[in-house]
Every structure is written in structure tokens, then in C-alpha cells.
Amino acid sequence: MKKILIKPLKKIKKITINNLPGDKSISHRAIIFSSVSSGKCILENISQSEDVKNTLKIFSRLSVKSENSGRNLIVYGKGKKGLKESDTELYCGNSGTTMRLMTGILSAQNFSSVLTGDESLSKRPMKRIIEPLNRFGADIYNSEYSPVKIMPNRINENIYFLPSVASAQVKSAVLLRGIYADNTFIKEIYQTRNHTEIFFKNTGSDIKVKGTEIYLKKPDEINCFNMFIPGDISSAAYFIAIGLIYCPVTVKNVCLNETRTGFIDILKKMGADIEIKNISQEFEIYGDITAYPSELKGIKINGDIIPNIIDEIPIIALIASFASGETEISGAGELRIKESDRIKTVCCELKKIGINTEEKSDGMIIKKSEISKEKVLTESHNDHRIALMLSVAAMLSESGYEIKNTECINTSFPEFFDFLNEYTL
Ligand code: S3P
């Protein structure tokens, strides 16, 4: 129950973030694809988050060897049929992505596995993956929540899946089973992040994507690969917020995959002055983002952009409190089943620091407010994205804020304070 005081930023002219750690979603998938690939893969700038470490530990229990040196990781792939049964349960920690994507892979092995998680993960819905995977031939104990108990199975059936939720984790769990099924067809309701599809394409699989439709043919093998993992836009978002409100901020080498850049589109609609330069592509597209202090206005946010910005909504809510008028976010009910109920926790914590918010069943309304000048005590609710959003709020305040339970920041971005220590009072 540690609480820490986050101090305001000093008077500074500009911040540049040169070495943003690799994207968390891409890092999970890089470990998964390299582990079942046919040989040695070199992964540069892998995320050092607890979530990604949990995915790597699980593969080591399944007999995959790897060598880690800082942010560089070498994985010695075992081939798609080379994983071995673990003699212990497989612990996913706080990571929904680990649990859901691993269920897809493990549901097609000839051995059993049990996936467990921490208190928060144990309350998050797993039927959304168990039910479709079982429908396509898997044998997973039918339960609402984890532990996920997976029985041995090697039946190669065709998959025809029309998910009822717009979730990249659900889509990816089924697509990963598609490594072993003859043919896989998925049609999403809205397009969600497409990193899994990009990995299939770059490791030799026959995959075709047309809008929200995906066709995958069973790959004979997953080719080994080397890659640079671009910076995580969900982490860059906290620096970009400082850029729009305080002083110009540049974040280099950020992943600009268009299924992830809805955050930038939303900010531009709000009037943000944002510049993107030095674009490169290698698996994924990436470049440098500069955000300048801007006069922002409130807007309505809803519809098919929601899955694209789902992890950025807490920081968007904070930014919205600096924008004129009001911002209304709707159609974001999925927030209620993230690491915390993020509709409740965002509104509750923003209110504590003086921001006028109204909780709605599937979203929230944020009105322009003056952020509290007092040293308020806030709470992360053990949710990394709430802790990170509150840290930015504290840095933008006059006296700083106290935050309870900030250790959860390690879930996605353990290096966050290292980047900003030199700029705070
Ligand atoms: C993720 C997908 C999103 C996101 C999560 C990471 C992924 O979840 O919130 O942080 O890597 O596929 P859903 O797809 O379930 O919304």
C-alpha cells in the first residue's frame, strides 16, 4: 500500500524521449511467433513490462530457450509442434493479452496446460475466448473466469468466426489456433489492432485481409525473423499529453500502425498541434511524434474509433479536462472489464483532483475544469493506466499529488519515471 508524491514539472523548454520501450502488444506477439518459429529470432527493443516478461516466462516453461540482454532478446524457436508440457501452472500475472493469446496457442497442443493470473485478471471474462475455441475443436474447461484449463488436442478443423465483441485479444486467440487449423476465416464488427495479422504475413503465412475480413491458410511453419520493435504509442500518449498542455515534447520511433493511431486522430480533432516525421517501416510502421502546447476543444468520441483508442481513454479524459466545453465518450463499455473498471476509476480519480466528470454506462462526460492546486491523495486501483494518467496530472499541477499503489506501473511501463525524473521539481 505504498503511496508516493509525484511532483510538478520544472520550467522547461522542451522534452525529447529518444528510447521509448517497444510496444507491448507487438512484444507479446514477437515472443509468441518467435517461440513457435523454425529457428533463431533476434528481437530488438522488446518491452520490459511485467506483462511481456510473463509471456516470456511461460514459453520458457514450455521449453523455449531465450537469451536476454537489456532490451534485446534472442529466442530459439521450437517450431510449431515443438512446445513441451509444463510441469507447473502457467502464471500470466496481470496480463489479459498473455492469458487470451496463450489459450489460442495452447488449445491446439497435444498436452494439457493451466493458465492462472493475479486477482484482477481472475475477474476478467475468459468465456469470450473459451466458447469460440471450443466451438472450433478445442477442449477447454468451460468457465467464465480463469484458471483456464486446457486439455490436449490436435484436431485440425476449419474456423469460421464472427466475434460479437471488437477485441484484438479475442480475434488473436482464434487466429493463433489458426496456426494449426486448416483454414481460418474471421470477420470483425470493427477493425481492432492488427499486429497478429502482420506477424503472420511477415513469417511466411498465406493471410489475406480485406477490411474487417481475415482469411488465413494453415502455415507449414512459421519462418524465423529479426525485428526492431517500435515504441509503444500507449506509453508515448502520456508524454504527448504533457506536450499539448505544458511544453513541446518529441517522442522518437513510435509505432504508427493505423489501428493504433486513433489517439492522434482524436487529438487533432480536438485542435492539437501534432507533427509526425521520419517515418520508416520494417514489419510495422513507425516515426517521431512532436506535440506542441495547443488550444483544445471538447468533442464527441464514439463508434469504430473506440477499439483503436481503448487503452488511451484514461489519458484522453485527463487531456479533455483542459479542453474548452465538454468531451463525451460513449460506446466504450469494454472499459468496465479492463485491469480495473476504467469508467468508474477514471471518473472517481479525476473528481478527486477537481475535474468535472459524469459517469455513463458506456462512457463518460468530461467538462473543462481547473485541476486542483492542493496536494490531493489519489489511488491507482492497481491499474497501470490509471497510475500513469494520475502521474501526468500530478506533473501538470501546482503542488503535485500523492498516488497510492503506483507499483502497478511496472505492468506496462516500468521506465516511466526514469524518463521524467530530470524534469520534475
Ligand atoms: C490488446 C488488445 C486490447 C488492449 C490490450 C492489448 C492486444 O484488448 O486493451 O491492452 O495486445 O491485443 P481488447 O482487444 O480485449 O480490447
PDB file of all heavy atoms in Angstrom, residues 394-422:
ATOM      1  N   ALA A 394      -0.399  14.931 -11.888  1.00  0.00           N
ATOM      2  CA  ALA A 394       0.404  15.493 -10.799  1.00  0.00           C
ATOM      3  C   ALA A 394       1.507  16.392 -11.346  1.00  0.00           C
ATOM      4  O   ALA A 394       1.776  17.467 -10.817  1.00  0.00           O
ATOM      5  CB  ALA A 394       1.008  14.349  -9.978  1.00  0.00           C
ATOM      6  N   MET A 395       2.134  15.950 -12.438  1.00  0.00           N
ATOM      7  CA  MET A 395       3.226  16.740 -13.028  1.00  0.00           C
ATOM      8  C   MET A 395       2.713  18.056 -13.602  1.00  0.00           C
ATOM      9  O   MET A 395       3.456  19.031 -13.698  1.00  0.00           O
ATOM     10  CB  MET A 395       3.926  15.930 -14.125  1.00  0.00           C
ATOM     11  CG  MET A 395       4.747  14.806 -13.544  1.00  0.00           C
ATOM     12  SD  MET A 395       5.458  13.809 -14.842  1.00  0.00           S
ATOM     13  CE  MET A 395       6.021  12.408 -13.888  1.00  0.00           C
ATOM     14  N   LEU A 396       1.453  18.088 -14.003  1.00  0.00           N
ATOM     15  CA  LEU A 396       0.874  19.309 -14.584  1.00  0.00           C
ATOM     16  C   LEU A 396       0.246  20.207 -13.514  1.00  0.00           C
ATOM     17  O   LEU A 396      -0.245  21.283 -13.817  1.00  0.00           O
ATOM     18  CB  LEU A 396      -0.202  18.925 -15.616  1.00  0.00           C
ATOM     19  CG  LEU A 396       0.312  18.143 -16.838  1.00  0.00           C
ATOM     20  CD1 LEU A 396      -0.861  17.661 -17.684  1.00  0.00           C
ATOM     21  CD2 LEU A 396       1.249  19.008 -17.682  1.00  0.00           C
ATOM     22  N   SER A 397       0.248  19.751 -12.254  1.00  0.00           N
ATOM     23  CA  SER A 397      -0.423  20.502 -11.188  1.00  0.00           C
ATOM     24  C   SER A 397       0.557  21.477 -10.522  1.00  0.00           C
ATOM     25  O   SER A 397       1.745  21.500 -10.856  1.00  0.00           O
ATOM     26  CB  SER A 397      -0.969  19.521 -10.146  1.00  0.00           C
ATOM     27  OG  SER A 397       0.120  18.984  -9.422  1.00  0.00           O
ATOM     28  N   GLU A 398       0.044  22.228  -9.538  1.00  0.00           N
ATOM     29  CA  GLU A 398       0.904  23.228  -8.892  1.00  0.00           C
ATOM     30  C   GLU A 398       1.720  22.648  -7.737  1.00  0.00           C
ATOM     31  O   GLU A 398       2.873  22.994  -7.535  1.00  0.00           O
ATOM     32  CB  GLU A 398       0.003  24.355  -8.377  1.00  0.00           C
ATOM     33  CG  GLU A 398       0.640  25.700  -8.476  1.00  0.00           C
ATOM     34  CD  GLU A 398      -0.358  26.782  -8.138  1.00  0.00           C
ATOM     35  OE1 GLU A 398      -1.101  27.171  -9.048  1.00  0.00           O
ATOM     36  OE2 GLU A 398      -0.404  27.194  -6.962  1.00  0.00           O
ATOM     37  N   SER A 399       1.090  21.712  -6.967  1.00  0.00           N
ATOM     38  CA  SER A 399       1.775  21.184  -5.772  1.00  0.00           C
ATOM     39  C   SER A 399       2.084  19.695  -5.858  1.00  0.00           C
ATOM     40  O   SER A 399       2.575  19.114  -4.905  1.00  0.00           O
ATOM     41  CB  SER A 399       0.911  21.395  -4.529  1.00  0.00           C
ATOM     42  OG  SER A 399       0.175  22.564  -4.600  1.00  0.00           O
ATOM     43  N   GLY A 400       1.729  19.059  -6.970  1.00  0.00           N
ATOM     44  CA  GLY A 400       1.901  17.613  -7.074  1.00  0.00           C
ATOM     45  C   GLY A 400       0.750  16.886  -6.396  1.00  0.00           C
ATOM     46  O   GLY A 400      -0.029  17.506  -5.664  1.00  0.00           O
ATOM     47  N   TYR A 401       0.625  15.578  -6.645  1.00  0.00           N
ATOM     48  CA  TYR A 401      -0.394  14.748  -5.986  1.00  0.00           C
ATOM     49  C   TYR A 401       0.271  13.502  -5.432  1.00  0.00           C
ATOM     50  O   TYR A 401       1.286  13.038  -5.959  1.00  0.00           O
ATOM     51  CB  TYR A 401      -1.486  14.307  -6.975  1.00  0.00           C
ATOM     52  CG  TYR A 401      -2.232  15.435  -7.638  1.00  0.00           C
ATOM     53  CD1 TYR A 401      -2.500  15.405  -9.007  1.00  0.00           C
ATOM     54  CD2 TYR A 401      -2.667  16.545  -6.907  1.00  0.00           C
ATOM     55  CE1 TYR A 401      -3.172  16.446  -9.630  1.00  0.00           C
ATOM     56  CE2 TYR A 401      -3.345  17.581  -7.522  1.00  0.00           C
ATOM     57  CZ  TYR A 401      -3.584  17.533  -8.874  1.00  0.00           C
ATOM     58  OH  TYR A 401      -4.241  18.561  -9.483  1.00  0.00           O
ATOM     59  N   GLU A 402      -0.368  12.955  -4.382  1.00  0.00           N
ATOM     60  CA  GLU A 402       0.087  11.648  -3.888  1.00  0.00           C
ATOM     61  C   GLU A 402      -0.725  10.577  -4.620  1.00  0.00           C
ATOM     62  O   GLU A 402      -1.908  10.770  -4.889  1.00  0.00           O
ATOM     63  CB  GLU A 402      -0.175  11.555  -2.393  1.00  0.00           C
ATOM     64  CG  GLU A 402       0.818  12.388  -1.593  1.00  0.00           C
ATOM     65  CD  GLU A 402       0.562  12.277  -0.101  1.00  0.00           C
ATOM     66  OE1 GLU A 402      -0.621  12.301   0.301  1.00  0.00           O
ATOM     67  OE2 GLU A 402       1.533  12.146   0.643  1.00  0.00           O
ATOM     68  N   ILE A 403      -0.054   9.471  -4.912  1.00  0.00           N
ATOM     69  CA  ILE A 403      -0.770   8.352  -5.561  1.00  0.00           C
ATOM     70  C   ILE A 403      -0.487   7.082  -4.758  1.00  0.00           C
ATOM     71  O   ILE A 403       0.677   6.774  -4.475  1.00  0.00           O
ATOM     72  CB  ILE A 403      -0.318   8.134  -7.025  1.00  0.00           C
ATOM     73  CG1 ILE A 403      -0.306   9.464  -7.796  1.00  0.00           C
ATOM     74  CG2 ILE A 403      -1.221   7.112  -7.715  1.00  0.00           C
ATOM     75  CD1 ILE A 403       0.166   9.342  -9.232  1.00  0.00           C
ATOM     76  N   LYS A 404      -1.576   6.381  -4.418  1.00  0.00           N
ATOM     77  CA  LYS A 404      -1.406   5.099  -3.714  1.00  0.00           C
ATOM     78  C   LYS A 404      -1.239   3.992  -4.749  1.00  0.00           C
ATOM     79  O   LYS A 404      -1.907   3.988  -5.776  1.00  0.00           O
ATOM     80  CB  LYS A 404      -2.668   4.806  -2.871  1.00  0.00           C
ATOM     81  CG  LYS A 404      -2.652   5.500  -1.534  1.00  0.00           C
ATOM     82  CD  LYS A 404      -3.566   4.781  -0.551  1.00  0.00           C
ATOM     83  CE  LYS A 404      -4.927   5.429  -0.584  1.00  0.00           C
ATOM     84  NZ  LYS A 404      -5.908   4.823   0.292  1.00  0.00           N
ATOM     85  N   ASN A 405      -0.356   3.044  -4.444  1.00  0.00           N
ATOM     86  CA  ASN A 405      -0.174   1.841  -5.272  1.00  0.00           C
ATOM     87  C   ASN A 405       0.298   2.135  -6.696  1.00  0.00           C
ATOM     88  O   ASN A 405      -0.395   1.814  -7.667  1.00  0.00           O
ATOM     89  CB  ASN A 405      -1.476   1.028  -5.327  1.00  0.00           C
ATOM     90  CG  ASN A 405      -1.907   0.588  -3.959  1.00  0.00           C
ATOM     91  OD1 ASN A 405      -1.078   0.200  -3.145  1.00  0.00           O
ATOM     92  ND2 ASN A 405      -3.197   0.657  -3.690  1.00  0.00           N
ATOM     93  N   THR A 406       1.483   2.707  -6.800  1.00  0.00           N
ATOM     94  CA  THR A 406       1.997   3.005  -8.152  1.00  0.00           C
ATOM     95  C   THR A 406       2.840   1.853  -8.722  1.00  0.00           C
ATOM     96  O   THR A 406       3.251   1.912  -9.873  1.00  0.00           O
ATOM     97  CB  THR A 406       2.886   4.276  -8.133  1.00  0.00           C
ATOM     98  OG1 THR A 406       3.758   4.172  -7.016  1.00  0.00           O
ATOM     99  CG2 THR A 406       2.076   5.536  -8.065  1.00  0.00           C
ATOM    100  N   GLU A 407       3.070   0.806  -7.894  1.00  0.00           N
ATOM    101  CA  GLU A 407       3.925  -0.315  -8.396  1.00  0.00           C
ATOM    102  C   GLU A 407       3.326  -0.908  -9.674  1.00  0.00           C
ATOM    103  O   GLU A 407       4.041  -1.457 -10.505  1.00  0.00           O
ATOM    104  CB  GLU A 407       4.037  -1.462  -7.378  1.00  0.00           C
ATOM    105  CG  GLU A 407       4.621  -1.103  -6.036  1.00  0.00           C
ATOM    106  CD  GLU A 407       3.599  -0.480  -5.090  1.00  0.00           C
ATOM    107  OE1 GLU A 407       2.416  -0.353  -5.482  1.00  0.00           O
ATOM    108  OE2 GLU A 407       3.984  -0.111  -3.979  1.00  0.00           O
ATOM    109  N   CYS A 408       1.996  -0.799  -9.813  1.00  0.00           N
ATOM    110  CA  CYS A 408       1.334  -1.399 -10.982  1.00  0.00           C
ATOM    111  C   CYS A 408       1.837  -0.793 -12.300  1.00  0.00           C
ATOM    112  O   CYS A 408       1.613  -1.382 -13.363  1.00  0.00           O
ATOM    113  CB  CYS A 408      -0.182  -1.264 -10.873  1.00  0.00           C
ATOM    114  SG  CYS A 408      -0.718   0.429 -10.693  1.00  0.00           S
ATOM    115  N   ILE A 409       2.539   0.345 -12.232  1.00  0.00           N
ATOM    116  CA  ILE A 409       3.082   0.937 -13.458  1.00  0.00           C
ATOM    117  C   ILE A 409       3.988  -0.069 -14.185  1.00  0.00           C
ATOM    118  O   ILE A 409       4.086  -0.083 -15.411  1.00  0.00           O
ATOM    119  CB  ILE A 409       3.833   2.257 -13.113  1.00  0.00           C
ATOM    120  CG1 ILE A 409       2.790   3.350 -12.868  1.00  0.00           C
ATOM    121  CG2 ILE A 409       4.833   2.664 -14.187  1.00  0.00           C
ATOM    122  CD1 ILE A 409       3.346   4.683 -12.434  1.00  0.00           C
ATOM    123  N   ASN A 410       4.630  -0.967 -13.389  1.00  0.00           N
ATOM    124  CA  ASN A 410       5.513  -1.986 -13.988  1.00  0.00           C
ATOM    125  C   ASN A 410       4.787  -2.904 -14.972  1.00  0.00           C
ATOM    126  O   ASN A 410       5.408  -3.540 -15.810  1.00  0.00           O
ATOM    127  CB  ASN A 410       6.151  -2.857 -12.896  1.00  0.00           C
ATOM    128  CG  ASN A 410       7.052  -2.026 -12.010  1.00  0.00           C
ATOM    129  OD1 ASN A 410       7.523  -0.976 -12.425  1.00  0.00           O
ATOM    130  ND2 ASN A 410       7.298  -2.487 -10.784  1.00  0.00           N
ATOM    131  N   THR A 411       3.479  -3.002 -14.831  1.00  0.00           N
ATOM    132  CA  THR A 411       2.686  -3.833 -15.741  1.00  0.00           C
ATOM    133  C   THR A 411       2.958  -3.472 -17.197  1.00  0.00           C
ATOM    134  O   THR A 411       3.071  -4.340 -18.057  1.00  0.00           O
ATOM    135  CB  THR A 411       1.178  -3.627 -15.426  1.00  0.00           C
ATOM    136  OG1 THR A 411       0.933  -4.173 -14.148  1.00  0.00           O
ATOM    137  CG2 THR A 411       0.283  -4.284 -16.439  1.00  0.00           C
ATOM    138  N   SER A 412       3.049  -2.147 -17.503  1.00  0.00           N
ATOM    139  CA  SER A 412       3.288  -1.773 -18.901  1.00  0.00           C
ATOM    140  C   SER A 412       4.534  -0.920 -19.101  1.00  0.00           C
ATOM    141  O   SER A 412       5.155  -0.974 -20.156  1.00  0.00           O
ATOM    142  CB  SER A 412       2.082  -1.024 -19.480  1.00  0.00           C
ATOM    143  OG  SER A 412       1.861   0.189 -18.793  1.00  0.00           O
ATOM    144  N   PHE A 413       4.920  -0.095 -18.082  1.00  0.00           N
ATOM    145  CA  PHE A 413       5.924   0.929 -18.381  1.00  0.00           C
ATOM    146  C   PHE A 413       6.818   1.199 -17.174  1.00  0.00           C
ATOM    147  O   PHE A 413       6.813   2.304 -16.614  1.00  0.00           O
ATOM    148  CB  PHE A 413       5.171   2.204 -18.805  1.00  0.00           C
ATOM    149  CG  PHE A 413       5.999   3.222 -19.533  1.00  0.00           C
ATOM    150  CD1 PHE A 413       7.320   2.979 -19.904  1.00  0.00           C
ATOM    151  CD2 PHE A 413       5.454   4.452 -19.866  1.00  0.00           C
ATOM    152  CE1 PHE A 413       8.063   3.932 -20.577  1.00  0.00           C
ATOM    153  CE2 PHE A 413       6.189   5.422 -20.535  1.00  0.00           C
ATOM    154  CZ  PHE A 413       7.498   5.155 -20.889  1.00  0.00           C
ATOM    155  N   PRO A 414       7.670   0.190 -16.779  1.00  0.00           N
ATOM    156  CA  PRO A 414       8.496   0.355 -15.577  1.00  0.00           C
ATOM    157  C   PRO A 414       9.453   1.549 -15.655  1.00  0.00           C
ATOM    158  O   PRO A 414       9.850   2.087 -14.628  1.00  0.00           O
ATOM    159  CB  PRO A 414       9.280  -0.960 -15.492  1.00  0.00           C
ATOM    160  CG  PRO A 414       9.015  -1.708 -16.715  1.00  0.00           C
ATOM    161  CD  PRO A 414       7.828  -1.126 -17.409  1.00  0.00           C
ATOM    162  N   GLU A 415       9.820   1.972 -16.870  1.00  0.00           N
ATOM    163  CA  GLU A 415      10.822   3.044 -17.035  1.00  0.00           C
ATOM    164  C   GLU A 415      10.211   4.436 -17.002  1.00  0.00           C
ATOM    165  O   GLU A 415      10.926   5.428 -17.156  1.00  0.00           O
ATOM    166  CB  GLU A 415      11.552   2.884 -18.387  1.00  0.00           C
ATOM    167  CG  GLU A 415      12.140   1.526 -18.689  1.00  0.00           C
ATOM    168  CD  GLU A 415      11.165   0.582 -19.385  1.00  0.00           C
ATOM    169  OE1 GLU A 415       9.934   0.756 -19.251  1.00  0.00           O
ATOM    170  OE2 GLU A 415      11.641  -0.357 -20.046  1.00  0.00           O
ATOM    171  N   PHE A 416       8.891   4.559 -16.820  1.00  0.00           N
ATOM    172  CA  PHE A 416       8.218   5.860 -16.984  1.00  0.00           C
ATOM    173  C   PHE A 416       8.888   6.990 -16.212  1.00  0.00           C
ATOM    174  O   PHE A 416       9.224   8.030 -16.774  1.00  0.00           O
ATOM    175  CB  PHE A 416       6.736   5.730 -16.571  1.00  0.00           C
ATOM    176  CG  PHE A 416       5.987   7.024 -16.620  1.00  0.00           C
ATOM    177  CD1 PHE A 416       5.677   7.624 -17.831  1.00  0.00           C
ATOM    178  CD2 PHE A 416       5.590   7.674 -15.454  1.00  0.00           C
ATOM    179  CE1 PHE A 416       4.980   8.833 -17.888  1.00  0.00           C
ATOM    180  CE2 PHE A 416       4.892   8.876 -15.499  1.00  0.00           C
ATOM    181  CZ  PHE A 416       4.594   9.455 -16.715  1.00  0.00           C
ATOM    182  N   PHE A 417       9.116   6.784 -14.902  1.00  0.00           N
ATOM    183  CA  PHE A 417       9.670   7.882 -14.099  1.00  0.00           C
ATOM    184  C   PHE A 417      11.123   8.182 -14.481  1.00  0.00           C
ATOM    185  O   PHE A 417      11.555   9.320 -14.397  1.00  0.00           O
ATOM    186  CB  PHE A 417       9.541   7.594 -12.598  1.00  0.00           C
ATOM    187  CG  PHE A 417       8.100   7.621 -12.148  1.00  0.00           C
ATOM    188  CD1 PHE A 417       7.494   6.490 -11.646  1.00  0.00           C
ATOM    189  CD2 PHE A 417       7.346   8.787 -12.251  1.00  0.00           C
ATOM    190  CE1 PHE A 417       6.164   6.518 -11.248  1.00  0.00           C
ATOM    191  CE2 PHE A 417       6.010   8.827 -11.855  1.00  0.00           C
ATOM    192  CZ  PHE A 417       5.421   7.688 -11.353  1.00  0.00           C
ATOM    193  N   ASP A 418      11.866   7.165 -14.930  1.00  0.00           N
ATOM    194  CA  ASP A 418      13.261   7.408 -15.344  1.00  0.00           C
ATOM    195  C   ASP A 418      13.310   8.452 -16.454  1.00  0.00           C
ATOM    196  O   ASP A 418      14.232   9.257 -16.522  1.00  0.00           O
ATOM    197  CB  ASP A 418      13.921   6.120 -15.872  1.00  0.00           C
ATOM    198  CG  ASP A 418      13.906   5.012 -14.845  1.00  0.00           C
ATOM    199  OD1 ASP A 418      13.736   5.336 -13.653  1.00  0.00           O
ATOM    200  OD2 ASP A 418      14.036   3.834 -15.233  1.00  0.00           O
ATOM    201  N   PHE A 419      12.315   8.436 -17.342  1.00  0.00           N
ATOM    202  CA  PHE A 419      12.307   9.397 -18.445  1.00  0.00           C
ATOM    203  C   PHE A 419      12.047  10.827 -17.949  1.00  0.00           C
ATOM    204  O   PHE A 419      12.447  11.778 -18.593  1.00  0.00           O
ATOM    205  CB  PHE A 419      11.224   9.031 -19.461  1.00  0.00           C
ATOM    206  CG  PHE A 419      11.631   7.917 -20.386  1.00  0.00           C
ATOM    207  CD1 PHE A 419      11.076   6.656 -20.274  1.00  0.00           C
ATOM    208  CD2 PHE A 419      12.581   8.138 -21.374  1.00  0.00           C
ATOM    209  CE1 PHE A 419      11.445   5.633 -21.123  1.00  0.00           C
ATOM    210  CE2 PHE A 419      12.965   7.122 -22.234  1.00  0.00           C
ATOM    211  CZ  PHE A 419      12.397   5.859 -22.111  1.00  0.00           C
ATOM    212  N   LEU A 420      11.313  10.957 -16.828  1.00  0.00           N
ATOM    213  CA  LEU A 420      10.850  12.296 -16.442  1.00  0.00           C
ATOM    214  C   LEU A 420      11.507  12.850 -15.189  1.00  0.00           C
ATOM    215  O   LEU A 420      11.352  14.040 -14.887  1.00  0.00           O
ATOM    216  CB  LEU A 420       9.325  12.293 -16.278  1.00  0.00           C
ATOM    217  CG  LEU A 420       8.572  12.149 -17.610  1.00  0.00           C
ATOM    218  CD1 LEU A 420       7.088  11.956 -17.368  1.00  0.00           C
ATOM    219  CD2 LEU A 420       8.789  13.356 -18.518  1.00  0.00           C
ATOM    220  N   ASN A 421      12.261  11.999 -14.455  1.00  0.00           N
ATOM    221  CA  ASN A 421      12.856  12.447 -13.180  1.00  0.00           C
ATOM    222  C   ASN A 421      13.591  13.775 -13.306  1.00  0.00           C
ATOM    223  O   ASN A 421      13.437  14.665 -12.482  1.00  0.00           O
ATOM    224  CB  ASN A 421      13.821  11.393 -12.652  1.00  0.00           C
ATOM    225  CG  ASN A 421      13.050  10.353 -11.857  1.00  0.00           C
ATOM    226  OD1 ASN A 421      11.915  10.613 -11.428  1.00  0.00           O
ATOM    227  ND2 ASN A 421      13.630   9.169 -11.661  1.00  0.00           N
ATOM    228  N   GLU A 422      14.386  13.904 -14.373  1.00  0.00           N
ATOM    229  CA  GLU A 422      15.201  15.124 -14.510  1.00  0.00           C
ATOM    230  C   GLU A 422      14.351  16.367 -14.771  1.00  0.00           C
ATOM    231  O   GLU A 422      14.818  17.504 -14.626  1.00  0.00           O
ATOM    232  CB  GLU A 422      16.247  14.971 -15.618  1.00  0.00           C
ATOM    233  CG  GLU A 422      15.636  14.780 -16.979  1.00  0.00           C
ATOM    234  CD  GLU A 422      16.671  14.710 -18.107  1.00  0.00           C
ATOM    235  OE1 GLU A 422      17.384  15.697 -18.327  1.00  0.00           O
ATOM    236  OE2 GLU A 422      16.726  13.659 -18.777  1.00  0.00           O
TER     237      GLU A 422
END
